[in-house]
Amino acid sequence: MITWSRTLDAAGVTDTALRADYTAQRRAATRFRPEAAWAVRLLVPPALVPHVLVATAFMHHTDKLLDGEAPQAERLAEYRAWSAAVTAALAREEADEPLLRALAHSAALHPPLRRCAQEFLATAQTELTASGFATEADYQAYLDDYSLPALMVVACLLAPDTAEVRTAARAYIDGSQRLDFVADLGEDLAAGRLGLPLTLLAEHGVSRAELVAAAETPGTRALLRHALRLAGDALDQGRAVLPLTPPAHRALLATLIGLDELTARAAAEAGPAALLRSGAGPAKPAALALLWRQWRAARRVDGEA
């Protein structure tokens, strides 16, 4: 992995103030999801790394505005102001905030990022009221309005924005989103949210109260097994994005899918009570081994280029 300064050089970010803006977004993306940020640094060609990290920081900042603890009316006002500021920055390619300056610069160099950022902002308000889903159809609508547009903010830098790529990306984010809702089930319930459709609970004879109580019952075990199976099937389908992606970018996408698969394994091994109390994440040794394998694969691609 080359130094951050040389990475900025490779990306053509030479202005001193702009370099500081990108550095701030690297830190923000690392705080958001450290293992993914380090995977970007290790696996993505240096010229693209700063732009992927800025897109990640933008997506997370927007999500945090919508999903915060402030009253809904306050979050809505903050989001509308943020959306207007982003739109203005992308139009003028300049702004007063570090994140917006870096985003505008990246979007000028990579036009699909401008379009995908605007598409995300157009429907992201869905997250404000997404405290749960009555049916599978409600969940699927959330996927189309929020999860997929959020993913495409980053994915448009790594793969061509075609119908085929979007179909595969939707399958991947379906699996990843379902997995997040299972792995974070206890935390979400404590915050008054439930990512599993109520119809799915009813099919397994499980009440919300049983989940809140972290009850270990045949019903909760069957429910979580079923939810993880749905996530795993979607992640498998999402692997179709890999051959549609330029070879130099495949290692990162394969790593992100692999990290989700490791999380699914950890969730399955934890059992309902432990999962509902502590959540689940990839085991560190397995995650490091995955990163090492993909780093070697990325180096082979570099050698063949």
Side-chain angles (χ1 to χ4, degrees), residues 25 41 49 61 66 115 152 167 175 230 279 289 300:
Q25 306 327 307
R41 293 285 308 277
V49 166
H61 181 82
L66 292 164
R115 183 181 67 255
M152 290 307 299
T167 297
L230 290 175
R300 285 196 296 272

Side-chain angles (χ1 to χ4, degrees), residues 4-253:
W4 178 244
S5 179
R6 289 178 61 192
T7 300
L8 291 173
D9 292 341
V13 182
T14 57
D15 178 79
T16 300
L18 196 56
R19 288 168 78 92
D21 294 338
Y22 274 92
T23 299
Q25 306 327 307
R26 181 201 71 191
R27 292 172 182 149
T30 302
R31 286 193 300 271
F32 165 49
R33 194 177 176 191
E35 67 277 13
W38 281 108
V40 171
R41 293 285 308 277
L42 284 167
L43 303 176
V44 172
L48 194 57
V49 166
H51 308 299
V52 172
L53 292 177
V54 162
T56 302
F58 161 69
M59 181 271 293
H60 177 57
H61 181 82
T62 304
D63 179 77
K64 193 173 179 180
L65 279 178
L66 292 164
D67 200 29
E69 297 180 358
Q72 188 179 107
E74 184 177 325
R75 284 182 284 137
L76 177 58
E78 290 179 354
Y79 172 72
R80 286 175 173 169
W82 170 246
S83 181
V86 173
T87 300
L90 292 174
R92 298 195 309 266
E93 297 180 8
E94 60 182 31
D96 296 329
E97 296 182 38
L99 173 52
L100 294 182
R101 284 194 297 266
L103 180 68
H105 184 74
S106 291
L109 296 175
H110 299 277
L113 176 57
R114 175 183 288 106
R115 183 181 67 255
C116 287
Q118 291 171 330
E119 288 178 358
F120 176 46
L121 291 173
T123 56
Q125 192 172 314
T126 298
E127 179 70 359
L128 272 174
T129 56
S131 60
F133 312 107
T135 67
E136 174 69 15
D138 294 331
Y139 163 72
Q140 293 294 331
Y142 173 83
L143 203 68
D144 286 325
D145 289 344
Y146 189 76
S147 303
L148 179 59
L151 172 66
M152 290 307 299
V153 169
V154 179
C156 71
L157 295 170
L158 300 168
D161 189 1
T162 64
E164 276 187 307
V165 166
R166 286 208 173 217
T167 297
R170 191 186 188 282
Y172 162 67
I173 199 58
D174 181 15
S176 186
Q177 185 67 80
R178 288 182 190 275
L179 181 60
D180 281 349
F181 283 148
V182 173
D184 297 336
L185 196 52
E187 180 182 338
D188 286 347
L189 285 165
R193 298 186 297 268
L194 175 61
L196 303 181
L198 295 179
T199 50
L200 191 61
L201 269 67
E203 288 172 15
H204 291 84
V206 174
S207 70
R208 185 181 182 126
E210 286 178 289
L211 295 178
V212 170
E216 183 95 28
T217 69
T220 57
R221 285 194 291 271
L223 169 67
L224 295 179
R225 279 198 304 269
H226 183 71
L228 288 171
R229 185 166 59 252
L230 290 175
D233 290 347
L235 289 173
D236 285 344
Q237 294 173 33
R239 284 190 171 275
V241 76
L242 296 177
L244 303 174
T245 302
H249 303 165
R250 288 176 193 166
L252 175 64
L253 293 175

